[in-house]
Coordinates of all heavy atoms in Angstrom, one line a residue:
E25 N 7.4 11.9 -9.7 CA 6.3 12.8 -10.0 C 5.2 12.6 -9.1 O 4.6 13.6 -8.7 CB 5.8 12.4 -11.4 CG 6.8 12.8 -12.5 CD 6.3 12.4 -13.9 OE1 5.1 12.3 -14.1 OE2 7.2 12.3 -14.8
E26 N 4.8 11.4 -8.7 CA 3.7 11.2 -7.8 C 4.1 10.1 -6.8 O 4.7 9.1 -7.2 CB 2.5 10.8 -8.5 CG 1.3 10.6 -7.6 CD 0.0 10.2 -8.3 OE1 0.1 9.6 -9.4 OE2 -1.1 10.4 -7.8
L27 N 3.6 10.2 -5.6 CA 3.8 9.2 -4.6 C 2.4 8.8 -4.1 O 1.6 9.7 -3.7 CB 4.6 9.7 -3.4 CG 4.7 8.8 -2.2 CD1 5.5 7.5 -2.5 CD2 5.2 9.5 -1.0
V28 N 2.1 7.5 -4.1 CA 0.8 7.0 -3.5 C 1.2 6.1 -2.3 O 2.0 5.2 -2.5 CB 0.1 6.2 -4.6 CG1 -1.2 5.6 -4.0 CG2 -0.2 7.0 -5.8
A29 N 0.7 6.5 -1.2 CA 1.0 5.8 0.1 C -0.3 5.1 0.6 O -1.4 5.8 0.6 CB 1.6 6.7 1.1
C30 N -0.2 3.9 1.1 CA -1.4 3.2 1.6 C -1.1 2.8 3.1 O 0.0 2.5 3.5 CB -1.6 1.9 0.8 SG -1.9 2.0 -0.9
D31 N -2.2 2.8 3.8 CA -2.2 2.2 5.1 C -3.6 1.7 5.4 O -4.6 2.3 4.9 CB -1.9 3.3 6.2 CG -1.4 2.6 7.5 OD1 -2.3 1.9 8.1 OD2 -0.3 2.9 7.9
S32 N -3.8 0.6 6.1 CA -5.1 0.1 6.4 C -5.8 0.8 7.6 O -6.9 0.5 7.9 CB -5.0 -1.4 6.7 OG -4.2 -1.7 7.8
V33 N -5.1 1.7 8.2 CA -5.7 2.4 9.4 C -6.0 3.8 9.0 O -5.2 4.6 8.7 CB -4.6 2.4 10.6 CG1 -5.2 3.1 11.8 CG2 -4.2 1.0 10.9
P34 N -7.3 4.1 9.0 CA -7.8 5.4 8.6 C -7.1 6.6 9.3 O -6.8 7.6 8.8 CB -9.3 5.4 8.8 CG -9.6 4.0 8.7 CD -8.5 3.2 9.3
E35 N -6.9 6.4 10.6 CA -6.3 7.4 11.4 C -4.9 7.7 11.0 O -4.4 8.9 11.0 CB -6.3 7.1 12.9 CG -7.7 7.0 13.5 CD -8.4 5.6 13.3 OE1 -7.7 4.7 12.8 OE2 -9.6 5.5 13.5
A36 N -4.2 6.7 10.6 CA -2.8 6.9 10.2 C -2.8 7.6 8.8 O -1.9 8.5 8.6 CB -2.1 5.5 10.0
V37 N -3.7 7.3 8.0 CA -3.8 8.0 6.7 C -4.1 9.5 6.9 O -3.5 10.4 6.3 CB -4.8 7.4 5.8 CG1 -5.1 8.2 4.5 CG2 -4.3 6.0 5.3
A38 N -5.1 9.8 7.8 CA -5.4 11.2 8.1 C -4.3 12.0 8.7 O -4.0 13.1 8.3 CB -6.6 11.2 9.1
R39 N -3.5 11.3 9.6 CA -2.3 12.0 10.1 C -1.3 12.3 9.0 O -0.7 13.4 9.0 CB -1.7 11.2 11.3 CG -2.6 11.2 12.5 CD -2.1 10.4 13.6 NE -0.8 11.0 14.1 CZ 0.0 10.5 15.0 NH1 -0.2 9.2 15.4 NH2 1.1 11.1 15.4
A40 N -1.1 11.3 8.2 CA -0.1 11.5 7.1 C -0.5 12.6 6.1 O 0.3 13.4 5.6 CB 0.1 10.2 6.4
E41 N -1.8 12.6 5.8 CA -2.3 13.6 4.9 C -2.1 15.0 5.5 O -1.7 15.9 4.8 CB -3.8 13.4 4.6 CG -4.1 12.3 3.7 CD -5.6 12.0 3.6 OE1 -6.4 12.2 4.5 OE2 -6.0 11.5 2.5
K42 N -2.4 15.1 6.8 CA -2.2 16.4 7.4 C -0.7 16.8 7.4 O -0.3 18.0 7.1 CB -2.7 16.3 8.9 CG -2.6 17.7 9.6 CD -3.2 17.5 11.0 CE -3.1 18.9 11.7 NZ -3.7 18.8 13.1
A43 N 0.2 15.9 7.7 CA 1.6 16.2 7.7 C 2.2 16.5 6.3 O 3.2 17.2 6.2 CB 2.4 15.0 8.3
C44 N 1.5 16.0 5.3 CA 2.0 16.2 3.9 C 1.1 17.1 3.1 O 1.1 17.1 1.9 CB 2.2 14.9 3.2 SG 3.4 13.8 4.0
A45 N 0.3 17.9 3.8 CA -0.7 18.8 3.1 C -0.1 19.7 2.1 O -0.7 20.1 1.1 CB -1.5 19.6 4.1
D46 N 1.2 20.1 2.3 CA 1.9 21.0 1.4 C 2.6 20.3 0.2 O 3.3 20.9 -0.6 CB 2.9 21.9 2.1 CG 4.0 21.1 2.8 OD1 3.7 19.9 3.1 OD2 5.1 21.6 3.0
L47 N 2.3 19.0 0.0 CA 3.0 18.2 -1.0 C 1.9 17.7 -2.0 O 1.3 16.6 -1.8 CB 3.7 17.0 -0.4 CG 4.8 17.4 0.6 CD1 5.4 16.1 1.2 CD2 5.9 18.1 -0.1
P48 N 1.6 18.5 -3.0 CA 0.4 18.1 -3.9 C 0.7 16.8 -4.7 O -0.3 16.3 -5.2 CB 0.3 19.3 -4.9 CG 1.7 19.9 -4.8 CD 2.2 19.7 -3.4
N49 N 1.9 16.4 -4.8 CA 2.2 15.1 -5.6 C 2.1 13.9 -4.7 O 2.4 12.8 -5.2 CB 3.5 15.2 -6.3 CG 4.7 15.4 -5.3 OD1 4.5 16.0 -4.3 ND2 5.8 14.8 -5.7
V50 N 1.7 14.0 -3.4 CA 1.6 12.9 -2.5 C 0.1 12.6 -2.3 O -0.7 13.5 -1.9 CB 2.3 13.1 -1.2 CG1 2.2 11.9 -0.3 CG2 3.8 13.4 -1.5
R51 N -0.3 11.3 -2.5 CA -1.7 10.9 -2.3 C -1.7 9.8 -1.3 O -0.9 8.9 -1.4 CB -2.3 10.5 -3.6 CG -3.7 10.1 -3.6 CD -4.3 10.0 -5.0 NE -3.6 9.1 -5.8 CZ -4.0 7.8 -6.1 NH1 -5.1 7.3 -5.5 NH2 -3.3 7.1 -6.9
F52 N -2.7 9.8 -0.4 CA -2.8 8.7 0.6 C -4.1 8.0 0.4 O -5.1 8.6 0.0 CB -2.8 9.3 2.0 CG -1.4 9.9 2.3 CD1 -1.2 11.2 2.1 CD2 -0.4 9.1 2.8 CE1 0.0 11.8 2.4 CE2 0.8 9.7 3.1 CZ 1.0 11.0 2.9
V53 N -4.1 6.6 0.6 CA -5.2 5.8 0.3 C -5.3 4.8 1.5 O -4.4 4.2 2.0 CB -5.0 4.9 -1.0 CG1 -6.2 4.0 -1.2 CG2 -4.8 5.8 -2.1
V54 N -6.6 4.7 2.0 CA -6.8 3.7 3.1 C -7.0 2.4 2.3 O -8.0 2.2 1.5 CB -8.1 4.0 3.9 CG1 -8.4 2.9 4.9 CG2 -7.9 5.3 4.6
R55 N -6.1 1.5 2.5 CA -6.1 0.2 1.7 C -5.4 -0.9 2.5 O -4.3 -0.6 3.0 CB -5.5 0.5 0.4 CG -5.5 -0.7 -0.6 CD -6.8 -1.0 -1.2 NE -7.5 0.1 -1.8 CZ -7.5 0.4 -3.1 NH1 -6.9 -0.3 -3.9 NH2 -8.2 1.5 -3.5
D56 N -5.9 -2.0 2.5 CA -5.2 -3.2 3.0 C -4.7 -3.9 1.8 O -5.5 -4.4 0.9 CB -6.2 -4.1 3.7 CG -5.6 -5.4 4.3 OD1 -4.6 -5.8 3.8 OD2 -6.1 -5.9 5.3
V57 N -3.4 -4.0 1.6 CA -2.8 -4.6 0.4 C -3.1 -6.0 0.2 O -3.0 -6.6 -0.9 CB -1.2 -4.4 0.4 CG1 -0.8 -3.0 0.3 CG2 -0.6 -5.1 1.6
R58 N -3.7 -6.7 1.2 CA -4.2 -8.1 1.0 C -5.4 -8.1 0.1 O -5.8 -9.1 -0.4 CB -4.4 -8.7 2.3 CG -3.2 -9.0 3.1 CD -3.5 -9.5 4.5 NE -4.1 -8.4 5.3 CZ -4.4 -8.5 6.5 NH1 -4.2 -9.6 7.2 NH2 -5.0 -7.5 7.2
R59 N -6.0 -6.9 0.0 CA -7.3 -6.8 -0.8 C -7.1 -6.1 -2.1 O -8.1 -5.9 -2.8 CB -8.3 -6.1 0.1 CG -8.5 -6.6 1.5 CD -9.8 -7.2 1.8 NE -10.0 -7.6 3.2 CZ -9.2 -8.5 3.9 NH1 -8.2 -9.0 3.3 NH2 -9.6 -8.8 5.1
G60 N -5.9 -5.7 -2.4 CA -5.6 -5.1 -3.7 C -4.8 -3.8 -3.5 O -4.6 -3.3 -2.4
F61 N -4.4 -3.2 -4.6 CA -3.6 -2.1 -4.7 C -4.3 -0.9 -5.3 O -5.3 -1.1 -6.1 CB -2.3 -2.4 -5.5 CG -1.5 -3.4 -4.9 CD1 -1.7 -4.7 -5.2 CD2 -0.4 -3.1 -4.0 CE1 -0.9 -5.7 -4.6 CE2 0.4 -4.0 -3.5 CZ 0.1 -5.3 -3.7
P62 N -3.9 0.3 -5.1 CA -4.4 1.5 -5.8 C -4.1 1.3 -7.3 O -3.3 0.5 -7.7 CB -3.7 2.7 -5.3 CG -3.1 2.2 -4.0 CD -2.9 0.7 -4.1
V63 N -4.8 2.0 -8.1 CA -4.6 1.9 -9.6 C -3.2 2.4 -9.9 O -2.8 3.5 -9.4 CB -5.7 2.7 -10.3 CG1 -5.4 2.7 -11.8 CG2 -7.1 2.2 -10.0
G64 N -2.5 1.6 -10.7 CA -1.1 2.0 -11.1 C -1.1 2.3 -12.5 O -2.1 2.8 -13.0
P65 N 0.0 2.2 -13.2 CA 1.1 1.4 -12.9 C 2.1 2.2 -11.9 O 2.0 3.4 -11.8 CB 1.8 1.1 -14.2 CG 1.4 2.3 -15.0 CD 0.0 2.7 -14.6
F66 N 3.0 1.5 -11.3 CA 4.0 2.1 -10.4 C 5.4 1.7 -10.9 O 5.6 0.6 -11.3 CB 3.8 1.6 -9.0 CG 2.4 1.9 -8.5 CD1 1.4 1.0 -8.4 CD2 2.1 3.2 -8.1 CE1 0.1 1.3 -7.9 CE2 0.8 3.6 -7.6 CZ -0.2 2.6 -7.5
D67 N 6.3 2.6 -10.7 CA 7.7 2.3 -11.0 C 8.4 1.6 -9.9 O 9.3 0.8 -10.1 CB 8.5 3.6 -11.2 CG 8.0 4.4 -12.5 OD1 7.7 3.7 -13.5 OD2 8.0 5.6 -12.5
C68 N 7.9 1.8 -8.7 CA 8.5 1.1 -7.5 C 7.4 0.9 -6.4 O 6.5 1.8 -6.2 CB 9.6 2.0 -6.9 SG 10.4 1.4 -5.5
I69 N 7.4 -0.2 -5.8 CA 6.5 -0.5 -4.7 C 7.4 -0.8 -3.5 O 8.2 -1.7 -3.5 CB 5.5 -1.6 -5.0 CG1 4.6 -1.3 -6.2 CG2 4.7 -2.0 -3.8 CD1 3.8 -2.4 -6.6
V70 N 7.1 -0.1 -2.4 CA 7.9 -0.4 -1.2 C 6.9 -0.8 -0.1 O 5.9 -0.2 0.2 CB 8.6 0.9 -0.7 CG1 9.3 0.7 0.6 CG2 9.6 1.4 -1.7
F71 N 7.2 -2.0 0.5 CA 6.4 -2.6 1.5 C 7.1 -2.3 2.8 O 7.8 -3.2 3.3 CB 6.1 -4.1 1.3 CG 5.3 -4.4 0.1 CD1 6.0 -4.8 -1.0 CD2 4.0 -4.3 0.1 CE1 5.2 -5.1 -2.2 CE2 3.2 -4.6 -1.0 CZ 3.8 -5.0 -2.1
S72 N 6.9 -1.1 3.4 CA 7.6 -0.8 4.6 C 6.7 -1.1 5.8 O 5.6 -0.6 5.9 CB 8.0 0.7 4.6 OG 8.6 1.1 5.8
D73 N 7.2 -1.9 6.8 CA 6.5 -2.2 8.0 C 5.1 -2.8 7.7 O 4.1 -2.5 8.3 CB 6.3 -1.0 8.9 CG 7.6 -0.4 9.4 OD1 8.5 -1.3 9.6 OD2 7.8 0.8 9.5
V74 N 5.1 -3.7 6.7 CA 3.9 -4.4 6.3 C 4.0 -5.9 6.3 O 3.2 -6.6 6.9 CB 3.4 -3.9 4.9 CG1 2.2 -4.6 4.4 CG2 3.1 -2.4 4.9
L75 N 4.9 -6.4 5.5 CA 4.9 -7.8 5.2 C 5.1 -8.7 6.4 O 4.6 -9.8 6.5 CB 6.0 -8.2 4.1 CG 5.7 -7.5 2.8 CD1 6.9 -7.9 1.8 CD2 4.4 -7.8 2.2
Y76 N 5.8 -8.2 7.4 CA 6.0 -9.1 8.6 C 4.8 -9.3 9.4 O 4.7 -10.2 10.3 CB 7.2 -8.7 9.4 CG 7.2 -7.3 10.0 CD1 6.5 -6.9 11.1 CD2 7.9 -6.3 9.3 CE1 6.5 -5.7 11.6 CE2 7.9 -5.0 9.8 CZ 7.2 -4.7 11.0 OH 7.2 -3.4 11.4
Y77 N 3.7 -8.6 9.1 CA 2.4 -8.8 9.8 C 1.6 -9.9 9.1 O 0.6 -10.3 9.6 CB 1.6 -7.5 9.8 CG 2.1 -6.4 10.8 CD1 2.8 -5.3 10.3 CD2 2.0 -6.6 12.1 CE1 3.2 -4.3 11.1 CE2 2.5 -5.6 13.0 CZ 3.1 -4.5 12.5 OH 3.6 -3.5 13.3
L78 N 2.0 -10.3 7.9 CA 1.2 -11.2 7.1 C 1.8 -12.6 7.2 O 2.9 -12.8 7.5 CB 1.3 -10.8 5.6 CG 0.9 -9.3 5.3 CD1 1.0 -9.1 3.8 CD2 -0.5 -8.9 5.9
S79 N 0.9 -13.6 6.9 CA 1.3 -15.0 6.9 C 2.2 -15.2 5.6 O 2.2 -14.3 4.7 CB 0.1 -15.9 6.9 OG -0.6 -15.8 5.6
R80 N 2.8 -16.3 5.6 CA 3.6 -16.6 4.4 C 2.8 -16.7 3.1 O 3.2 -16.2 2.1 CB 4.4 -18.0 4.5 CG 5.5 -17.9 5.4 CD 6.2 -19.2 5.5 NE 7.5 -19.0 6.3 CZ 8.4 -20.0 6.4 NH1 8.2 -21.1 5.8 NH2 9.4 -19.7 7.1
V81 N 1.6 -17.2 3.2 CA 0.7 -17.3 2.1 C 0.3 -15.9 1.7 O 0.2 -15.6 0.5 CB -0.5 -18.2 2.4 CG1 -1.6 -18.1 1.3 CG2 -0.1 -19.6 2.6
E82 N -0.1 -15.1 2.6 CA -0.5 -13.7 2.3 C 0.7 -12.9 1.7 O 0.5 -12.2 0.7 CB -1.0 -12.9 3.6 CG -2.3 -13.4 4.1 CD -2.6 -12.8 5.4 OE1 -1.7 -12.6 6.3 OE2 -3.8 -12.6 5.7
V83 N 1.9 -13.1 2.2 CA 3.0 -12.4 1.6 C 3.2 -12.9 0.1 O 3.4 -12.0 -0.8 CB 4.3 -12.7 2.4 CG1 5.6 -12.2 1.6 CG2 4.3 -12.0 3.7
R84 N 3.1 -14.2 -0.1 CA 3.2 -14.7 -1.5 C 2.2 -14.1 -2.4 O 2.5 -13.6 -3.5 CB 3.1 -16.2 -1.5 CG 3.2 -16.8 -2.8 CD 2.6 -18.2 -2.9 NE 1.2 -18.1 -2.7 CZ 0.4 -19.0 -2.2 NH1 0.9 -20.2 -1.8 NH2 -0.9 -18.9 -2.1
D85 N 0.9 -14.1 -1.9 CA -0.1 -13.5 -2.7 C 0.0 -12.0 -3.0 O -0.3 -11.6 -4.1 CB -1.5 -13.8 -2.1 CG -1.8 -15.3 -2.1 OD1 -1.2 -16.1 -2.8 OD2 -2.8 -15.7 -1.3
V86 N 0.4 -11.3 -2.0 CA 0.5 -9.8 -2.1 C 1.7 -9.5 -3.1 O 1.5 -8.7 -4.0 CB 0.8 -9.2 -0.8 CG1 1.3 -7.7 -0.9 CG2 -0.5 -9.1 0.1
L87 N 2.8 -10.2 -3.0 CA 3.9 -10.0 -3.9 C 3.5 -10.4 -5.3 O 3.9 -9.6 -6.3 CB 5.1 -10.7 -3.4 CG 5.7 -10.2 -2.1 CD1 6.9 -11.0 -1.7 CD2 6.1 -8.7 -2.2
A88 N 2.8 -11.5 -5.5 CA 2.4 -11.8 -6.8 C 1.4 -10.8 -7.4 O 1.5 -10.4 -8.6 CB 1.7 -13.2 -6.8
A89 N 0.5 -10.3 -6.6 CA -0.4 -9.3 -7.0 C 0.3 -8.0 -7.4 O -0.2 -7.3 -8.3 CB -1.5 -9.1 -6.0
S90 N 1.3 -7.7 -6.7 CA 2.1 -6.4 -7.0 C 2.7 -6.5 -8.4 O 2.9 -5.4 -9.0 CB 3.2 -6.2 -6.0 OG 4.3 -7.1 -6.1
H91 N 2.9 -7.7 -9.0 CA 3.4 -7.8 -10.3 C 2.3 -7.8 -11.4 O 2.5 -7.3 -12.5 CB 4.2 -9.1 -10.5 CG 5.5 -9.1 -9.7 ND1 6.6 -8.4 -10.1 CD2 5.8 -9.7 -8.5 CE1 7.6 -8.6 -9.2 NE2 7.1 -9.3 -8.3
T92 N 1.2 -8.3 -11.0 CA 0.1 -8.4 -12.0 C -0.9 -7.3 -12.0 O -1.6 -7.0 -12.9 CB -0.7 -9.7 -11.7 OG1 -1.4 -9.6 -10.5 CG2 0.2 -10.9 -11.8
G93 N -1.0 -6.6 -10.8 CA -2.0 -5.5 -10.7 C -3.3 -6.0 -10.3 O -4.3 -5.2 -10.1
R94 N -3.5 -7.3 -10.2 CA -4.8 -7.9 -9.8 C -4.8 -8.1 -8.3 O -3.8 -8.3 -7.7 CB -5.0 -9.2 -10.5 CG -5.2 -9.1 -12.0 CD -5.6 -10.4 -12.6 NE -4.7 -11.5 -12.3 CZ -3.7 -11.9 -13.0 NH1 -3.4 -11.3 -14.2 NH2 -2.9 -12.9 -12.6
P95 N -6.0 -8.0 -7.7 CA -6.1 -8.3 -6.2 C -5.5 -9.7 -5.9 O -5.6 -10.6 -6.7 CB -7.6 -8.2 -5.9 CG -8.1 -7.5 -7.1 CD -7.3 -7.7 -8.3
P96 N -4.9 -9.8 -4.7 CA -4.5 -11.2 -4.3 C -5.6 -12.1 -4.2 O -6.8 -11.7 -4.0 CB -3.9 -10.9 -2.9 CG -3.6 -9.5 -2.9 CD -4.6 -8.8 -3.8
S97 N -5.3 -13.4 -4.5 CA -6.4 -14.4 -4.5 C -6.8 -14.8 -3.1 O -6.2 -14.5 -2.1 CB -6.0 -15.6 -5.3 OG -4.7 -16.0 -4.9

């Protein structure tokens, strides 16, 4: 029904919004997942090209936060 996509780079979000302008069920958010997630709930969360940039501690915290909906500690 709806897709929410995040990227921490505003330019990337702007390009994606332009490319998907004809898809009203797709929403883009400038967000660093280390600082929290968009408001959910979500049926599925895909971390594509994200986690390998993070430290082990950050990965642990982000994955834990994805289950609780609270920002990583």
Side-chain angles (χ1 to χ4, degrees):
E25 294 179 21
E26 181 183 23
L27 171 70
V28 180
C30 299
D31 198 299
S32 62
V33 180
E35 296 83 10
V37 170
R39 290 178 69 190
E41 286 174 331
K42 185 176 179 180
C44 296
D46 61 335
L47 302 172
N49 62 326
V50 178
R51 181 169 57 101
F52 295 91
V53 180
V54 177
R55 181 73 52 98
D56 183 333
V57 295
R58 293 173 291 186
R59 312 243 183 304
F61 295 89
V63 175
F66 300 104
D67 293 324
C68 178
I69 298 175
V70 177
F71 295 100
S72 177
D73 297 323
V74 173
L75 298 180
Y76 56 83
Y77 289 108
L78 308 181
S79 71
R80 284 184 175 186
V81 171
E82 289 172 325
V83 169
R84 181 202 64 209
D85 291 347
V86 165
L87 294 179
S90 72
H91 290 285
T92 65
R94 294 188 306 265
S97 47

